[in-house]
């Protein structure tokens, strides 16, 4: 692991680091905010998974999360959204290829050699974090925005017992029923739709639910509502009687203005679970 930068931030440290990823077979970059409490011992971890076209940097600089995390004593992890490098496959479309890993393990050419973002977030990066930073990996929570909200929800339900809580901002809630999902799932993991359900938050919620609290915020003026399909997730949560809250926020769109507005609520939500 190499340090790219470290800056004092709300009494803690906002760092950026690179490492050789086994899962993605390339160098990966991530951001990590350590609150001031980390100087006294391991602190719990909140993952933030970003959306389409993003890198580790978008939420790190726009979400306004560090101040609230410092107050709560929680570390923030900002992974990248896809593998990077000259030998990594890409596509002209913004919603496939670099910046659009969809948090799955690709099985199809040309994506399979590098696009293993599920394993990267589930196994590879956690090992790097545990080996190098004062983090309490027994206390983890996860959140994300858009494609990252999809990733947060599917990882939380797909890895029972890993995360104490999960939240999402405007997640891609039903990718098997949306052009933000069907195209990418077919490209990455093949045309057999029976394999897609493991990466659909609405289907996972209907089948299994989550063994902890859930918080979802969605803007009513989101320009991508028809692609996100939030109604499928809210209906699945209600039918499952999931311990959770689904909020439609009047007048908000899909931007980081929306994310930063409700970030304090999400940090407080996760803090309650992480320190229970």
């Amino acid at each position: 692991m190499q340090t790219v930068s470290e800056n004092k931030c709300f009494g803690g440290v906002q760092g950026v680091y690179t490492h050789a990823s086994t899962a993605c077979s390339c160098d990966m970059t991530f951001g990590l905010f350590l609150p001031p409490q980390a100087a006294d011992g391991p602190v719990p971890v909140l993952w933030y998974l970003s959306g389409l076209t993003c890198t580790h940097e978008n939420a790190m600089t726009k979400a306004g999360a560090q101040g609230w995390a410092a107050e709560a004593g929680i570390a923030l992890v900002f992974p990248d959204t896809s593998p990077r490098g000259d030998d990594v496959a890409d596509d002209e479309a913004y919603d496939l290829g670099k910046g659009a890993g969809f948090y799955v393990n690709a099985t199809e050419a040309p994506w399979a050699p590098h696009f293993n973002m599920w394993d990267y977030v589930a196994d590879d990066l956690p090992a790097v974090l545990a080996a190098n930073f004062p983090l309490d990996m027994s206390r983890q929570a996860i959140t994300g925005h858009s494609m990252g909200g999809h990733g947060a929800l599917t990882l939380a339900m797909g890895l029972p017992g890993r995360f104490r809580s999960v939240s999402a901002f405007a997640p891609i809630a039903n990718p098997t029923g949306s052009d933000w999902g069907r195209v990418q799932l077919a490209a990455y993991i093949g045309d057999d739709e029976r394999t897609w359900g493991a990466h659909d938050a609405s289907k996972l919620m209907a089948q299994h639910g989550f063994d902890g609290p859930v918080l979802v915020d969605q803007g009513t003026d989101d320009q991508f509502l028809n692609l996100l399909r939030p109604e499928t997730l809210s209906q699945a949560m209600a039918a499952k009687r999931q311990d959770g809250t689904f909020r439609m926020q009047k007048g908000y769109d899909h931007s980081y203005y929306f994310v930063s507005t409700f970030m304090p609520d999400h940090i407080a939500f996760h803090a309650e679970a992480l320190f229970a």
Side-chain angles (χ1 to χ4, degrees), residues 129-262:
L129 295 171
N132 291 280
F133 301 100
L135 301 175
D136 182 354
M137 301 303 284
S138 70
R139 291 186 291 165
Q140 297 185 61
I142 192 167
T143 188
H145 173 229
S146 194
M147 179 186 71
H150 141 80
L153 290 164
T154 56
L155 279 153
M157 288 185 278
L159 298 170
R162 172 72 63 89
F163 302 103
R164 294 193 180 187
S165 52
V166 60
S167 72
F169 302 86
I172 299 175
N174 181 216
T176 64
S178 168
D179 286 342
W180 267 1
R182 294 187 62 82
V183 172
Q184 293 80 7
L185 292 173
Y188 290 140
I189 62 177
D191 294 328
D192 185 354
E193 296 189 21
R194 292 174 296 180
T195 67
W196 296 1
H199 300 286
D200 187 305
S202 295
K203 291 182 179 294
L204 288 171
M205 181 62 68
Q207 293 167 2
H208 308 294
F210 176 65
D211 55 349
V214 177
L215 173 61
V216 179
D217 275 314
Q218 171 64 62
T220 63
D221 287 5
D222 193 313
Q223 59 270 47
F224 302 116
L225 269 178
N226 290 337
L227 291 167
L228 301 171
R229 295 176 57 83
E231 66 279 0
T232 58
L233 180 59
S234 64
Q235 290 164 6
M237 288 176 65
K240 195 66 176 177
R241 299 180 179 178
Q242 172 67 43
D243 172 14
T245 303
F246 191 106
R247 307 190 299 191
M248 295 297 296
Q249 301 291 1
K250 186 174 177 59
Y252 285 89
D253 59 16
H254 199 69
S255 69
Y256 267 94
Y257 297 113
F258 158 66
V259 173
S260 60
T261 297
F262 297 102

Side-chain angles (χ1 to χ4, degrees), residues 29 50-51 53-60 78-81 84 99 256:
T29 301
S50 289
T53 75
C54 291
T55 68
H56 68 282
E57 188 176 24
N58 295 70
M60 194 178 79
F78 303 100
D80 202 347
T81 56
R84 307 283 176 174
Y256 267 94

Side-chain angles (χ1 to χ4, degrees), residues 10 33 48 59-60 62-70 76 78 263 267:
F10 290 100
F33 172 71
Y48 183 102
M60 194 178 79
K62 295 180 180 180
Q66 289 93 335
W68 303 104
L76 300 169
F78 303 100
M263 183 58 72
I267 297 288

